[in-house]
Amino acid sequence: MQAPLSEPVAAPVAVSSDKPALELLIAAPRGFCAGVDRAIRIVELAIEKHGAPVYVRHEIVHNKFVVDRLRAMGAVFVEELDEVPDDAPVVFSAHGVPKSVPAEAQDRGLDYLDATCPLVSKVHRQAERLVKDGRHIIFIGHAGHPEVIGTFGQVPPGTMSLIETVADAEAFTPLDPTNLAFLTQTTLSVDDTAAVVATLQDRFPLIAAPRGEDICYATSNRQAAVKAIASACDAMLVIGAPNSSNSVRLVEVAEREGTPALLIQRANELDWTFLHGVGTLGITAGASAPELLVRELVDRLSLRYAVTEREVETNRETIAFKLPRGLDPDA
């Protein structure tokens, strides 16, 4: 299960009067989502089952703290399967992989586990169905992101086109404008994606939409939580990795609300000059950042400020995903 999203709010601590006051507004939901929690647990249980080392193709999630912790437990992170010994277990990351990867693993007889987020897998299955129905897919996403690479790898070459922006949508020229569909990466900006989709639907009225929203619940909820507090904050800190799409989007959401925002991976990366003149500071964490990094940041801020904190919850998440067969300790 994912960690509770509504943490107990710490009571104000008595501090020396020479510390300036700093109010913290802490967004909820924040931090781990169900897909991230599941992927990390798969690696942990694989190490328990097989012993170290267990190989992981690509970072299991985009967070250095999480990756370093799993590495210390016995995980070995690689980018391609040819780096995995023939007799070693391997886990595929939460972002998803092209079909060629499990096919290669099977050909080599590797013992593999797929930690792809179920919501990403849902997009994969939609892509397969649409191509089977003869539609050309416009995929909205960020070039080079592992999720995009994995999704493109579900369908034959030439059956899907990538666009990133409204300008891309305006310039796209399909062979058959009457036989299109669109899908999206799960970790995009809700507002940016809506603008791209509106452009596509205006240009191609017959374009087929996905079954339900492709942008995942966790991405949408974290962006909504930032919107709820940004206008009340002088600045915002987002805990997350620079290669974490959903974390970078949280910075953009805050800035779009007119609030300066900074992405940091750990509390020790904080540039104190960013807080000059700040009386109210917003804090959130991307979907692959554990809650203890939020607490670490609050503790560091307390060294220089008389901190009070208030959690602002806009949604309560209860989703949990099942573990693969053979790994679930409760099965």
Side-chain angles (χ1 to χ4, degrees), residues 134-176:
R135 290 187 181 270
H136 185 85
I137 301 169
I138 300 174
F139 192 77
I140 306 168
H142 297 299
H145 190 277
E147 184 181 330
V148 174
I149 294 170
T151 303
F152 267 72
Q154 306 302 310
V155 296
T159 58
M160 187 181 294
S161 299
L162 178 69
I163 66 170
E164 300 188 67
T165 64
V166 168
D168 291 342
E170 291 171 341
F172 181 69
T173 306
L175 292 175
D176 183 0

Side-chain angles (χ1 to χ4, degrees), residues 64-295:
K64 184 178 184 300
F65 177 87
V66 170
V67 169
D68 286 349
R69 174 181 165 274
L70 292 173
R71 184 179 286 118
M73 293 174 64
V76 177
F77 293 89
V78 298
E79 287 303 310
E80 300 298 340
L81 281 189
D82 58 15
E83 301 173 65
V84 180
D86 288 338
D87 59 348
V90 61
V91 180
F92 304 148
S93 81
H95 311 97
V97 295
K99 281 185 174 180
S100 59
V101 174
E104 179 186 347
Q106 286 181 334
D107 289 344
R108 290 182 54 192
L110 293 177
D111 187 355
Y112 70 89
L113 290 162
D114 189 353
T116 300
C117 174
L119 299 180
V120 174
S121 295
K122 183 191 75 170
V123 177
H124 290 180
R125 302 294 77 80
Q126 288 188 92
E128 290 177 318
R129 284 194 297 268
L130 289 166
V131 168
K132 186 177 180 180
D133 291 343
R135 290 187 181 270
H136 185 85
I137 301 169
I138 300 174
F139 192 77
I140 306 168
H142 297 299
H145 190 277
E147 184 181 330
V148 174
I149 294 170
T151 303
F152 267 72
Q154 306 302 310
V155 296
T159 58
M160 187 181 294
S161 299
L162 178 69
I163 66 170
E164 300 188 67
T165 64
V166 168
D168 291 342
E170 291 171 341
F172 181 69
T173 306
L175 292 175
D176 183 0
T178 67
N179 200 28
L180 298 173
F182 72 88
L183 297 171
T184 82
Q185 186 177 330
T186 63
T187 55
L188 299 179
S189 161
V190 173
D191 292 338
D192 287 347
T193 303
V196 174
V197 168
T199 301
L200 291 173
Q201 291 176 327
D202 182 60
R203 292 193 63 211
F204 311 114
L206 298 179
I207 193 169
R211 298 179 182 179
E213 179 62 66
D214 281 347
I215 296 177
C216 81
Y217 78 94
T219 296
S220 299
N221 286 349
R222 279 149 191 73
Q223 290 179 24
V226 167
K227 284 185 180 181
I229 65 172
S231 62
C233 298
D234 301 311
M236 281 207 65
L237 291 174
V238 177
I239 302 172
N243 61 338
S244 167
S245 176
N246 77 86
S247 299
V248 174
R249 303 290 83 77
L250 295 177
V251 173
E252 295 171 353
V253 167
E255 291 177 337
R256 188 167 292 172
E257 295 295 311
T259 304
L262 182 67
L263 179 70
I264 59 173
Q265 298 194 73
R266 297 287 298 271
N268 59 10
E269 293 182 4
L270 175 60
D271 179 357
W272 292 105
T273 62
F274 180 72
L275 299 182
H276 285 175
V278 172
T280 302
L281 177 68
I283 294 177
T284 190
S288 49
E291 178 64 14
L292 65 88
L293 298 186
V294 175
R295 303 319 309 170

Side-chain angles (χ1 to χ4, degrees), residues 1-71:
M1 290 289 292
Q2 64 194 95
L5 292 169
S6 185
E7 300 292 332
V9 178
V13 178
V15 292
S16 57
S17 58
D18 59 342
K19 289 184 179 181
L22 181 65
E23 181 184 14
L24 305 181
L25 297 184
I26 303 180
R30 63 181 177 276
F32 277 3
C33 64
V36 165
D37 190 66
R38 174 180 179 270
I40 293 169
R41 190 67 182 136
I42 287 173
V43 177
E44 293 171 342
L45 290 171
I47 294 171
E48 288 182 21
K49 179 178 179 180
H50 298 286
V54 166
Y55 286 76
V56 183
R57 186 187 180 277
H58 193 65
E59 292 183 347
I60 187 68
V61 296
H62 286 157
N63 185 273
K64 184 178 184 300
F65 177 87
V66 170
V67 169
D68 286 349
R69 174 181 165 274
L70 292 173
R71 184 179 286 118

